[in-house]
Amino acid sequence: MGQNWHDNAPIYRQLKEKVVQMILQAQLAPGDALPSVRQIAADFELNPLTVSRAYQELVDEGIIEMKRGLGMFVLDGAKDRLLQSERERFLQEEWPAVLKKMQSLGIRIDDLIADKDQGGI
């Protein structure tokens, strides 16, 4: 996990996103333990409550689970759930802006597919 915090979002959300990306990129697999709240807080000089909040959101979303006395672990199916939610978020939040930009530039979806097929993308 890197320590590049920015002002665009609360740190707990940025930390949560880092864990999500690690799961999506298979750096964390089902059954893997996450670093402890204390460890993350110490490593990145964060308030433990900030780390706990990030982890709690992941628990609430069914991505990780807490095993009392053992720590936090990635759940089976976490990657599939994350892929589904990230796809939905992209289509609802990001795709409309991409589509609008494409339309303003006169780019058609067929052009993108043709570029990809020709090795352009």
Side-chain angles (χ1 to χ4, degrees):
M1 280 190 238
Q3 185 182 344
N4 299 328
W5 310 120
H6 54 77
D7 294 333
N8 302 13
I11 291 175
Y12 80 91
R13 285 202 182 155
Q14 295 175 58
L15 178 59
K16 176 186 168 189
E17 185 58 31
K18 287 180 187 296
V19 174
V20 165
Q21 289 307 311
M22 291 175 73
I23 294 169
L24 289 175
Q25 295 168 4
Q27 294 171 344
L28 286 172
D32 285 354
L34 276 67
S36 72
V37 168
R38 288 182 183 169
Q39 185 65 51
I40 294 292
D43 288 352
F44 299 113
E45 299 177 359
L46 297 174
N47 184 320
L49 293 175
T50 300
V51 180
S52 292
R53 186 168 180 185
Y55 280 9
Q56 186 58 51
E57 284 199 2
L58 292 166
V59 169
D60 293 345
E61 293 172 12
I63 305 303
I64 64 174
E65 68 177 336
M66 183 183 83
K67 294 183 180 178
R68 187 172 214 100
L70 298 175
M72 299 285 191
F73 294 84
V74 178
L75 286 169
D76 287 336
K79 184 174 181 177
D80 292 335
R81 283 190 292 283
L82 286 171
L83 282 171
Q84 182 62 33
S85 67
E86 288 295 305
R87 286 180 184 129
E88 288 174 13
R89 186 187 61 75
F90 173 79
L91 291 173
Q92 292 175 2
E93 297 174 16
E94 295 179 36
W95 178 246
V98 171
L99 186 58
K100 185 176 181 180
K101 183 71 170 184
M102 287 173 56
Q103 290 169 339
S104 71
L105 296 172
I107 300 172
R108 299 175 318 160
I109 291 178
D110 294 341
D111 297 335
L112 294 177
I113 293 169
D115 279 351
K116 181 182 179 289
D117 290 343
Q118 296 171 2
I121 296 178

